[in-house]
Amino acid sequence: MSEVKLVAKPGEVQFPKGLEGVIARETTKSYVDGQRGRLYYHGIPIEELAENSTYEETFFLLLYDRLPTEGELEYFKSRMVQYRELPSEVYDYICKASSRYNDTPMSVLRTAVSMLASFDDSAEEDSLPAHEREAIKITSRMATITAAIGRARKGLAPIHPRPDLSHAANFLYMLFGEEPDPYYARVMDVILILHADHGCNASTFATLVVKSTLSDMYSSVVAGIAALKGPLHGGANQRALRMLKEIGEPENAEAWVLKALEKKRRIMGFGHRVYKAYDPRARILHDYAVEVTKRAGTEKYLKMAEIIERVMIERLGKKGIFPNVDFYSGVVMSSMGIDDELFTPIFATSRVAGWTAHALEQRVDNRIYRPRFVYVGPEIDHWVPLEERVKPEKEPTPFTPLEKLV
Ligand code: CMC
């Protein structure tokens, strides 16, 4: 690589902020064609998977780079089922932590996954068979954790998994305590398929950075959860629905969004680093939203969303800003009776398939991630004795060292 200037004045060295366009590694897992608005998992268009596949089959595809045969799929599903149950200590933690206001569902999920490692004798084993086993274990159990969090937030006891239901149907069963209508089970399956992987997004990259140090699979997934939690990534779906609730009625939508844009507010569920066209996942979810909102009598949320979409595309479409996956997923999930604070944990419950598949891919061909910073601080200086120091007129950082002790 050519020599890059690593000590410079602020702004002197040009680099892609947010690592935009930087290639982190090769992958066979997924490809996001941002210009055309297409997404493929191992070469298969997302529309075909949403129409025909299941979450279990999609996870198999991501892990092993091919679709399973009938027998393989049955065996893979039985492995996922075998791991569904959680240690009682993890259920206890979820119930206690979920009643504390500050412990958001994503924080509880993060800690619960971390706890799982304590009950896994092979958590620290650095071998491909152990990593593959953990990928399936963690993916299977995250659905149980998320459902238990959803119930615990309402003061309800967890419902233990059933082995005879699909991953999606069992998730809804554990959340609501009754076997779901097959249509809703299918919608949940589609939601899980759509969120399962998405190229080098922030949470997958965070997972890979941790895995690249040869850390364990649990730690890698915890890093993914931590990154997904943020409002610019997985946290946008909850905020998008809250925005619709704040708007209240379709007749307020246009004025609300115009005012928000005037104030330079970001509209959650719009824009994407890679897509400069319509996100194909948003299109699929929009179509499901038509039927789901009709069944639930929540059409006004869809109507508001469609108005916002029209205004946003009129105003910002030329800049490549279109709805992303998070815009319509909230409308669909809330119409299915799922609380908005569970949207991001459900995103994680699906994306863990991609995190673990990429982590395994990376482990086969690993090199530690170690980029560089450009140093723009003061020139080499010396330590100054305490009695000679003077407080600067202007703080060099936007935060102050003199915050009151709390
Ligand atoms: N509403 C209004 N303006 C926007 C939005 C938005 N949602 N997103 C981007 N812009 C504008 C932004 O103000 C900037 O304008 P200008 O060039 O005039 O300064 C321009 O578009 C480029 O924005 P950026 O922040 O440089 O884009 P980015 O690639 O760094 O960020 C993003 C991508 C997803 C963080 C951003 O679009 C955003 O904040 N969206 C809202 C949050 C959201 O919906 N996140 C979910 C992403 S999809 C699910 C996932 O993969 O996590």
Side-chain angles (χ1 to χ4, degrees), residues 187-375:
V187 176
M188 194 67 231
D189 214 2
V190 171
I191 290 171
L192 294 176
I193 292 168
L194 295 181
H195 288 82
D197 197 28
H198 206 236
C200 191
N201 58 88
S203 57
T204 301
F205 186 55
T207 305
L208 292 188
V209 170
V210 174
K211 196 78 203 87
S212 82
T213 68
L214 300 189
S215 186
D216 64 290
M217 196 63 105
Y218 289 92
S219 304
S220 308
V221 169
V222 167
I225 297 172
L228 189 73
K229 184 171 179 282
L232 295 187
H233 192 5
N237 49 17
Q238 179 182 13
R239 286 168 175 81
L241 189 83
R242 291 199 172 166
M243 170 181 75
L244 297 181
K245 288 187 176 159
E246 186 188 325
I247 294 170
E249 296 299 328
E251 51 271 29
N252 304 336
E254 181 154 359
W256 190 97
V257 73
L258 287 173
K259 199 164 161 204
L261 287 178
E262 210 178 283
K263 289 187 177 163
K264 302 253 174 262
R265 267 181 73 174
R266 283 211 170 199
I267 311 299
M268 291 291 132
F270 282 86
H272 200 276
R273 173 64 62 78
V274 182
Y275 289 121
K276 297 305 162 204
Y278 208 105
D279 180 336
R281 303 166 301 170
R283 204 183 296 285
I284 296 167
L285 286 167
H286 169 269
D287 293 351
Y288 274 99
V290 174
E291 176 62 23
V292 174
T293 56
K294 196 152 93 192
R295 287 185 182 220
T298 51
E299 293 98 328
K300 80 167 184 181
Y301 288 107
L302 177 60
K303 212 164 168 202
M304 274 189 267
E306 287 173 338
I307 294 170
I308 297 172
E309 175 184 322
R310 176 181 55 74
V311 177
M312 285 295 283
I313 294 178
E314 276 167 15
R315 299 271 154 162
L316 296 174
K318 53 188 170 304
K319 256 172 127 179
I321 297 201
F322 292 92
N324 60 48
V325 70
D326 287 335
F327 192 54
Y328 287 108
S329 64
V331 175
V332 172
M333 286 194 277
S334 72
S335 300
M336 288 167 68
I338 299 174
D339 288 339
D340 61 20
E341 59 175 22
L342 227 51
F343 295 173
T344 316
I346 289 172
F347 190 156
T349 293
S350 164
R351 183 59 57 87
V352 63
W355 293 336
T356 53
H358 282 277
L360 264 151
E361 185 180 50
Q362 159 112 11
R363 184 63 194 88
V364 173
D365 164 37
N366 188 55
R367 192 165 186 219
I368 191 167
Y369 285 102
R370 198 357 180 143
R372 301 291 300 264
F373 293 131
V374 178
Y375 178 74

